[in-house]
Amino acid sequence: MMGSLFVSVLAWCLFHGNESENIGVSRWRIFAAICAMPSALGVFMVYLYVPESPRFLASVKDDYKQSAQNCNLMAKALGLDLDVQNVNLQSSGGGLTKNNFSSLGREEFHEGVSAPSYLQGGNIRPMTEEEVRMEFLGHGTNDRAGVWNHTNLRNFCKTFTKLYTPPILSRTTLPLKTIWFSLSFGTYGITTWINSLFVAIHLENIYFNSFLFALANLPGNILSVIYSDRWGRKKMLMGSLIGAAASLVAFACFVYSKTSNSQFGTFVIVFFACAFQMFSIVSWNSIDVLSGELFPTKVRSAGMGVCTASGRLGAMFAQFVNASLMVSASKGGDNNGGESNSDALSSARVLVVAASALLLGAGLPLCLERDMAGSELKDEVGSSAIRCNSGSKKDHLSDDEADLVLNHESVCDLSGC
């Protein structure tokens, strides 16, 4: 959101009213150079300040010590008070381990009746290197030969193939790839052409309207934060895709009816353009979370990779389609003797095609697996996710303790699944 606002304000400052002025260096070159600076700064900040994933360090790199340190670092960043004097609770029986986990009964775990004292708030013990080692070695997820296999083409092909096996192909991989394609086609196809559309329909204050278009990211992000867990990712995705498509259709109707010349028509067109942007941001937030949750850990990186690639193909394809629609409509308008008609027709066609792509994606979440909100994520392809009851004692566990609970072989017996 901040990037979009930054770019729109920068364009407004550099280009508004000075399109033909030459200052020695083309203004667009200055614009491109300034836009690249935040990305360059971000590379260094991520390298210096963002820690590596503890699960990756433990399962791939075998660096249990650094994995434990990163867990504790993240816990402190989240405001948790770590009890450094009680690190060896595993040996003293005061912490949650695989040995004493079985002592938790169904009522204690789900209803909070007579739960052990270390589950009732207070300080949380830090994660130790031995706990991480026990967790990953105990489940057989760590294999030193596997470190080499991750860089081996054979293992890459094996991981990639898992995405297209029956347990995951029809319920995860194929629907998500199609949603990413249609969403990228509809959203990037419009956002990269929005200024051209504004010019084609003869709107004034193009850069100010572009700023309003970028500002519509804010309510979209707020809606995502408030309602993503409450409504579920699938409902949010379907509703936002339908809302974005409806906004584009309304946008197209007002454009085609040539109301952009009036002040009211301009307001309505910009309003629906901003509504589209708001709904599209909700869609992107929902699909990002949904994709990461549905793919099991072992294939999550590969799954996100193929989905992102599908999205990039959709975005590129949209550029060719939109350009073709604009040119063909313009030729038809010239033959009919009306430049204004051709501009309205070309803009309306682009908007309707993008809306159709979004509507295609809106129905596909019905093909996905159940919503993973409130569930433990899967590690293996074909494994079952475990629903966490709202208000259970798990809410009082630290992340490492919750993983021990939910990954233990007797969890299904306790939860009744």
Side-chain angles (χ1 to χ4, degrees), residues 133-256:
R133 186 188 304 274
M134 178 187 68
E135 171 68 14
F136 284 89
L137 289 179
H139 284 87
T141 58
N142 197 6
D143 185 355
R144 289 198 174 273
V147 177
W148 161 249
N149 287 336
H150 274 75
T151 62
N152 187 279
L153 180 61
R154 179 181 178 183
N155 191 68
F156 168 78
C157 294
K158 182 179 179 181
T159 301
F160 189 80
T161 303
K162 289 181 180 179
L163 294 172
Y164 298 93
T165 54
I168 194 175
L169 174 62
S170 61
R171 300 289 288 173
T172 302
T173 305
L174 191 57
L176 284 178
K177 286 178 62 177
T178 309
I179 294 172
W180 275 77
F181 182 92
S182 62
L183 182 56
S184 296
F185 183 98
T187 57
Y188 287 121
I190 295 300
T191 54
T192 54
W193 283 79
I194 190 64
N195 281 352
S196 298
L197 292 174
F198 285 163
V199 171
I201 60 180
H202 309 293
L203 286 185
E204 298 180 356
N205 301 322
I206 301 299
Y207 295 108
F208 175 71
N209 292 330
S210 298
F211 170 76
L212 295 178
F213 185 79
L215 190 62
N217 287 314
L218 179 59
N221 285 313
I222 293 176
L223 288 175
S224 299
V225 171
I226 296 176
Y227 295 108
S228 181
D229 288 328
R230 184 179 304 178
W231 289 352
R233 290 80 158 101
K234 291 173 62 174
K235 291 181 180 179
M236 286 285 290
L237 179 59
M238 294 175 63
S240 58
L241 284 172
I242 293 174
S247 299
L248 288 183
V249 171
F251 188 172
C253 290
F254 278 92
V255 167
Y256 191 70

Side-chain angles (χ1 to χ4, degrees), residues 294-374:
L294 288 179
F295 284 115
T297 301
K298 291 299 184 68
V299 296
R300 185 167 296 135
S301 296
M304 292 298 295
V306 298
C307 287
T308 303
S310 299
R312 293 295 180 265
L313 289 174
M316 290 187 292
F317 186 56
Q319 309 311 312
F320 292 102
V321 172
N322 291 349
S324 177
L325 291 173
M326 296 287 282
V327 171
S328 62
S330 177
K331 290 181 179 179
D334 291 340
N335 292 334
N336 293 329
E339 181 179 354
S340 178
N341 290 338
S342 67
D343 291 338
L345 180 61
S346 61
S347 301
R349 284 183 176 181
V350 170
L351 295 170
V352 170
V353 169
S356 301
L358 293 174
L359 284 177
L360 171 64
L364 290 173
L366 295 174
C367 301
L368 295 171
E369 291 188 65
R370 65 179 178 83
D371 205 306
M372 299 295 291

Side-chain angles (χ1 to χ4, degrees), residues 293 370-377 385-388 406:
E293 290 179 340
R370 65 179 178 83
D371 205 306
M372 299 295 291
S375 298
E376 176 72 5
L377 303 185
I386 301 167
R387 175 75 51 179
C388 302
L406 292 169

Side-chain angles (χ1 to χ4, degrees), residues 2-3 13 18 22-23 25 62 64 101 106 145 161 169 173 180 205 222 259 266 303 325 367 380 398:
M2 297 304 299
C13 295
N18 299 297
N22 190 345
I23 59 173
V25 179
D62 291 347
Y64 306 114
F101 168 76
R106 181 192 301 267
T161 303
L169 174 62
T173 305
W180 275 77
N205 301 322
I222 293 176
T259 60
T266 299
L325 291 173
C367 301
E380 299 284 351
S398 60

Side-chain angles (χ1 to χ4, degrees), residues 32-82:
I34 297 177
C35 288
M37 291 180 182
S39 298
L41 178 62
V43 170
F44 290 103
M45 294 184 68
V46 169
Y47 179 78
L48 293 175
Y49 299 110
V50 177
E52 184 56 83
S53 165
R55 181 180 289 272
F56 173 80
L57 291 171
S59 63
V60 177
K61 295 298 185 180
D62 291 347
D63 193 347
Y64 306 114
K65 181 178 180 180
Q66 188 62 47
S67 176
Q69 291 177 354
N70 285 6
C71 282
N72 297 330
L73 179 64
M74 293 177 184
K76 291 180 179 179
L78 291 173
L80 299 178
D81 188 9
L82 299 182

